[in-house]
Amino acid sequence: MTTLKRVDVHVEGVVQGVGFRPFVRSLASRLGLAGRVRNDVDGVHIEIEGALAGVEEFLTALERDAPALSEIERVTVVSARPAGHRGFTIAAGVPSGPLRPLVCADRATCDDCLRELADPADRRHGYPFINCARCGPRFTIVRGVPYDRPLTTMAGFGMCQACAAEYHAPGNRRFHAQPTCCPACGPRLRLRDARGTELCGDPVAGAVTLLRAGHVLAVKGLGGFHLAVPAADERAAALLRGRKHREEQPFAVMVADLAQARRLCEIDEHAAELLTGRARPIVLLPRLPGAPVAASVAPATRSLGLMLPYTALHHLLLAELAEPMVLTGANVSGEPIAYEDDDALTRLSGIADAFLVHDRPIHVRTDDSVVRPMAGEVTVLRRARGYAPEPLALRWPAPRPVLACGAKRKSTFCLVQGRRAFVSQHIGDLENHETLRSFVEGIDHYCGLFGIRPEVVAHDLHPGYLSTRHAMEIRGAELLGVQHHHAHIASCLADNGDPGPVLGVALDGLGHGPDGTLWGGEFLRADLTSFERLGHLAQVPMPGGAAAVRQPWRMAAAYLGDDHHGLDVARRNPWAEALALAPTAPLTSSAARLFDAVAAVLGLRDKITYEGQAAIELEQHADPAERGTYEAGIARGDLLVVQGADLVRAAAADLAAGAGTRAIAGRFHNGLADAVTRACDTLRDSTGLSAVALSGAMFQNALLLEGTVARLRAAGFRVLKHVRVPPGDGGVSLGQAAVAAARDRA
């Protein structure tokens, strides 16, 4: 006799608008089960009944085989009496409270759509906007909720009869896929010249002809415009760099497939998974010797940022071009990327020779995400397309809704409601009106999209940050200032679901310290509610103030003084002038300024053209096989002080003695990792804490991170590092929000 069983299942997470109900219907039908599925206010509700073995297999497969676009946060199963359902149906949603929908991130074109794209017999053959419930634009086209076509930028495209039939068929993979369209009813691609005049002929073929001729092409993508040139064309890459005023910061490269990727970079199984995953981020990978990439694409670095196509348009372009292409954000350095057609034609005038555009509006500007495999895992360095706006699950709920406004550099904001933290897409450096406008509009959009009205607003302590000023202008909410480096460590704790306390090591550029100095090399005792400064890198002056950030040689002067061994860095620059400024210069414990000093000593970088350049190039220059280590002294008093000057002096002495610069750079990295470990070992004795959280932009450095993690683990520490949000300032908003929520719970 067959044992019948019924369960009611509630699934929470990103489960609406991703083909979840058709998936449930297909699964139940395959297993011979009866019941129904419907959307509700915060997820999907399923009634399922049938043979016991079938129900158990259903519950297993529900999570194991869920649609690619879904993100399941929680599954609740409650037993019930069989109701005698016949067959399995998709029922209409029954909202019974305020809507709390989760909007899916944009997803790369799926394999089924790519097969149709390449099939001459298919009605969507060669159509650049092909998509289905498993792929395509989502967040970047959503204007409001509920997530229905009229509230997306597809509202102006009425579906043809064939598309409407697919859209309304529960068994079709385009069932309720809001961007559904085809050549008969959807967006249209156009190629325009620099004046905006439409050019005749096939737009893709015409665009590739221009690329092959060395012209700069602006391409409208999912979240904004990109600028493209062939990656192997030195003249075109140098032309793009000059027009964009991006002197040396590396460009990303898009490759058609893994085969092309393997001709440029070292691709292991982990890297292949990142490149081909549904988010399709830029992945920073080791470049192969002799890789056919122009020197101007990524100067002074052994790495390349690779990504695979994530739209049908990209696939069509690369298939026609038959070689990798540079694909970088369409902007002048320092500005946000262009995403509106008229604005692009105006702002990119003088940069782009032609524009490959379409008439589907982009509602939310979204950059490409950037990730890097480090220490056996992936670290997100820039969280944007493919990840935002999907929430991060928090281990503990926030009693009241929170808005955290983040920092100044690599800006993001974060909204928290309950156990969900919505970290915004990367917005950029808040240094101009256009970026600030994007920041403010983004907050308003997220609040409306997720039905959140903040009651607590967290911000950085620096009064000059535009993010802090915006927080101060918000009325009707409680304001909470969070120290910058506490926010870094709290971000790492929230990323790992750990309440602390931990020994927090925050190594970054500059952050406002409560003592009036500029912090940046900090050892903290921290949990989610509070912190105590236990130690820091020894403070040094920044001769010239902000000029020392732009001119690393000044930091070399600050660290070495007159003891410079007659090195070239002292001869190349007005050394005495910097020393004269030192007594009245602001003091800093910044780890980034320590890296700057060593980079200048080694002759790598006297001046920078983009933030963090000296530190990035120092890592790229270092010999990863070097095992030598410089030793930094550690002074023990009221606060532990790591003598960073010892590392700079050792590097200078080795250079004067004729040592190779790559070996010196490696010894410096090893020395800093060793100093961090010895400092934590000392602090463990006084605090009893054996867990260490690593945060701050310097832990985007794979050589430093991996060396520090290995040493700490060998010393018996449990190590927490970033995975889901950036260790740099892009993760600060999550930390601020986590602190605000924790203090609210206290």
Side-chain angles (χ1 to χ4, degrees), residues 118-410:
D119 183 0
D122 193 277
R123 67 191 187 91
R124 292 186 175 89
H125 174 242
Y127 184 54
F129 308 102
I130 191 170
N131 69 87
C132 67
R134 303 169 189 165
C135 68
R138 293 295 189 274
F139 173 57
T140 51
I141 66 170
V142 173
R143 288 194 169 113
V145 292
Y147 174 57
D148 289 320
R149 194 176 180 102
L151 290 176
T152 73
T153 62
M154 288 296 296
F157 300 94
M159 282 184 281
C160 67
Q161 187 175 358
C163 286
E166 295 170 333
Y167 179 86
H168 291 291
N172 193 285
R173 78 174 201 280
R174 292 190 170 89
F175 177 67
H176 278 222
Q178 306 306 336
T180 291
C181 58
C182 73
C185 64
R188 178 189 163 198
L189 192 67
R190 295 174 173 86
L191 181 63
R192 300 185 183 278
D193 65 18
R195 296 183 300 275
T197 303
E198 185 172 351
L199 301 176
C200 297
D202 177 70
V204 171
V208 170
T209 297
L210 291 169
L211 286 173
R212 286 176 177 154
H215 295 293
V216 176
L217 178 70
V219 182
K220 186 177 180 181
L222 278 181
F225 280 79
H226 288 96
L227 296 168
V229 296
D233 188 334
E234 172 60 27
R235 191 196 68 81
L239 178 68
L240 171 59
R241 193 169 285 288
R243 289 180 179 179
K244 191 175 159 69
H245 303 300
R246 182 166 169 164
E247 295 178 48
E248 292 162 304
Q249 190 171 8
F251 292 141
V253 174
M254 180 173 276
V255 291
D257 49 32
L258 285 178
Q260 265 191 8
R262 289 190 170 104
R263 289 195 283 272
L264 303 183
C265 290
E266 297 175 15
I267 310 289
D268 60 15
E269 185 177 343
H270 188 201
E273 289 176 357
L274 292 172
L275 286 167
T276 58
R278 62 190 185 184
R280 294 289 168 92
I282 297 169
V283 185
L284 298 185
L285 296 167
R287 189 193 321 201
L288 292 173
V293 175
S296 292
V297 170
T301 173
R302 295 194 302 260
S303 300
L304 279 178
L306 294 188
M307 60 178 159
L308 263 62
Y310 54 86
T311 70
L313 176 57
H314 293 142
H315 283 280
L316 294 171
L317 278 172
L318 285 167
E320 184 80 14
L321 185 62
E323 63 177 296
M325 65 180 177
V326 165
L327 205 66
T328 186
N331 62 339
V332 175
S333 289
E335 297 180 356
I337 61 170
Y339 74 108
E340 295 173 322
D341 294 5
D342 291 342
D343 178 58
L345 284 166
T346 300
R347 281 211 286 141
L348 303 180
S349 174
I351 301 178
D353 297 307
F355 294 78
L356 190 59
V357 300
H358 56 78
D359 52 354
R360 183 182 67 207
I362 298 169
H363 188 65
V364 180
R365 172 173 28 216
T366 308
D367 275 291
D368 294 314
S369 294
V370 182
V371 305
R372 188 178 189 185
M374 295 195 294
E377 294 184 281
V378 60
T379 298
V380 174
L381 304 185
R382 185 168 76 192
R383 188 177 185 273
R385 177 193 51 76
Y387 297 98
E390 294 177 9
L392 303 175
L394 299 179
R395 188 171 174 183
W396 303 274
R400 292 183 290 170
V402 177
L403 165 65
C405 292
K408 175 184 179 181
R409 303 286 184 185
K410 308 293 185 287

Side-chain angles (χ1 to χ4, degrees), residues 660-680:
T661 56
R662 294 189 182 278
I664 294 171
R667 292 166 193 167
F668 166 75
H669 279 82
N670 295 339
L672 184 55
D674 176 70
V676 167
T677 304
R678 288 188 291 115
C680 289

Side-chain angles (χ1 to χ4, degrees), residues 692-718:
V692 178
L694 305 176
S695 191
M698 306 318 294
F699 286 116
Q700 296 179 168
N701 178 321
L703 199 56
L704 177 64
L705 178 70
E706 291 168 356
T708 304
V709 169
R711 286 169 172 81
L712 286 169
R713 286 176 175 165
F717 286 98
R718 180 170 64 90

